[in-house]
Amino acid sequence: MSKRYSNFDHLRAWSILAVIIIHLTAPLAKEQAPLGIVLNQLARFAVPSFLVLSGWGLDITDAFDRSDHYLDYLWTRIKKVWPDYLIWSLVYALTHFILAGHPLTIKQSLVYLLNGGFSYHLYFVPLITGLYILYPAFVYLTNHPGLYTAFNLIFIFQHITDDYLGYIPFDLLQDYYTYAFCFAFGIWLSHDFEAKIHYLKRGKHWAYGALFTFTLFTVFESLESQGAVSATTRPFVTFYALCLILCFMVTDLKPNRFFSYLSKYSYFIYLSHVCMVEVIEAFIKLPNGWMGTSLYLGASLLLVLIFEFALIYLVKGIKGWINNNNERKSTLS
């Protein structure tokens, strides 16, 4: 099949919308607004989905095998994600620290750059960079059924022991193990991908049933705890996210221009959307009641998207102007 899989364009688009919803609903969840809690938790599939898509995309395009050597592969990945990350890190360093009256030392700046500390959402770039570095190890793991089965069984065990045994083995590594699990799952998924889709479609009702079940578990747990349980890496969210990904695979979805556009610019939107979210949080008072919450979230999401589309248009215009100037200079010379 084509290495371009339109169903995953849909998934990527919905995932970036979910990221925005997570950050828009975070204040509502803290205020224990039921709708805010439910939407915040149901949107938590976003990060697991991006990790699965990253692993799948690397493997399905043979990114490592097409490189001359390991460092060539790694440099190609870094060039794709770090230039924009550095620009937006500077933006958030200015707005969150320097202009806010919190001066930064060189050491602090380097630490924040390496761990995504300039804003609460930037952690994803150092995280995915670390997974890129370990990609050959994950390929080896997924190519050996015994090792991969053991990796998954250990993951499931440590993932659910907090509920059933009262403790979490490898507690400090739990989040990273979950991220690694999702990334490795994407790599495994790409192996004989077309055959996997065909196999899953034969039992697609099981996928829909599993998604429905884990959706209920996720919502119930979130409401029961009144939003106190919100980690993206907790068991119900992880399994809910995987079921949702499988449902995207077994559902016949036609290419859509809007979702394709969101998918294409999802990384840019991920880096930049917090600017508009923070403006909304600063100037719009949180509403009360289901109707007020619904209107607030709908209007806020629309504002963020308008901001993003305008920003994308502006950046494309600036890049086009720079390229045209460079072409004129090269022609004249």
Side-chain angles (χ1 to χ4, degrees), residues 54-173:
S54 296
W56 176 85
L58 277 180
D59 209 65
I60 204 75
T61 57
D62 301 318
F64 185 78
D65 292 336
R66 288 187 292 106
S67 303
D68 294 332
H69 46 76
Y70 175 72
L71 291 180
D72 178 52
Y73 146 79
L74 194 57
W75 178 241
T76 301
R77 307 328 302 170
I78 290 174
K79 284 192 299 182
K80 285 183 177 293
V81 297
W82 272 74
D84 286 348
Y85 171 69
L86 292 174
I87 292 170
W88 284 102
S89 290
L90 177 60
V91 170
Y92 293 115
L94 288 171
T95 56
H96 291 173
F97 292 91
I98 298 172
L99 296 180
H102 305 295
L104 288 165
T105 65
I106 294 177
K107 181 180 179 181
Q108 285 176 319
S109 299
L110 289 174
V111 170
Y112 287 153
L113 196 62
L114 291 175
N115 66 11
F118 287 118
S119 183
Y120 55 78
H121 69 302
L122 293 180
Y123 76 93
F124 185 82
V125 179
L127 166 64
I128 199 66
T129 303
L131 293 172
Y132 287 159
I133 292 171
L134 296 173
Y135 170 71
F138 287 119
V139 172
Y140 181 86
L141 177 72
T142 56
N143 281 332
H144 291 77
L147 286 176
Y148 188 53
T149 299
F151 174 82
N152 290 334
L153 289 175
I154 294 172
F155 165 77
I156 293 171
F157 172 73
Q158 65 87 33
H159 209 45
I160 65 176
T161 47
D162 187 39
D163 289 328
Y164 295 102
L165 300 181
Y167 71 96
I168 306 175
F170 331 118
D171 189 15
L172 295 177
L173 300 177

Side-chain angles (χ1 to χ4, degrees), residues 259-313:
F259 290 130
S260 295
Y261 190 84
L262 285 179
S263 175
K264 180 179 179 181
Y265 293 103
S266 59
Y267 182 58
F268 180 89
I269 295 172
Y270 182 89
L271 293 173
S272 60
H273 76 280
V274 168
C275 291
M276 192 61 191
V277 169
E278 291 179 341
V279 170
I280 291 170
E281 290 176 351
F283 291 99
I284 301 180
K285 185 179 179 181
L286 292 178
N288 294 317
W290 285 78
M291 182 61 71
T293 301
S294 300
L295 291 174
Y296 168 80
L297 291 176
S300 298
L301 180 59
L302 181 61
L303 283 173
V304 173
L305 290 177
I306 291 172
F307 167 77
E308 289 299 338
F309 293 161
L311 192 59
I312 291 168
Y313 182 81

Side-chain angles (χ1 to χ4, degrees), residues 6-31:
S6 63
N7 281 33
F8 277 175
D9 285 338
H10 283 262
L11 176 60
R12 192 176 289 105
W14 279 105
S15 295
I16 194 58
L17 289 174
V19 167
I20 298 171
I21 290 171
I22 289 172
H23 296 149
L24 286 174
T25 56
L28 291 165
K30 288 179 182 178
E31 294 294 325

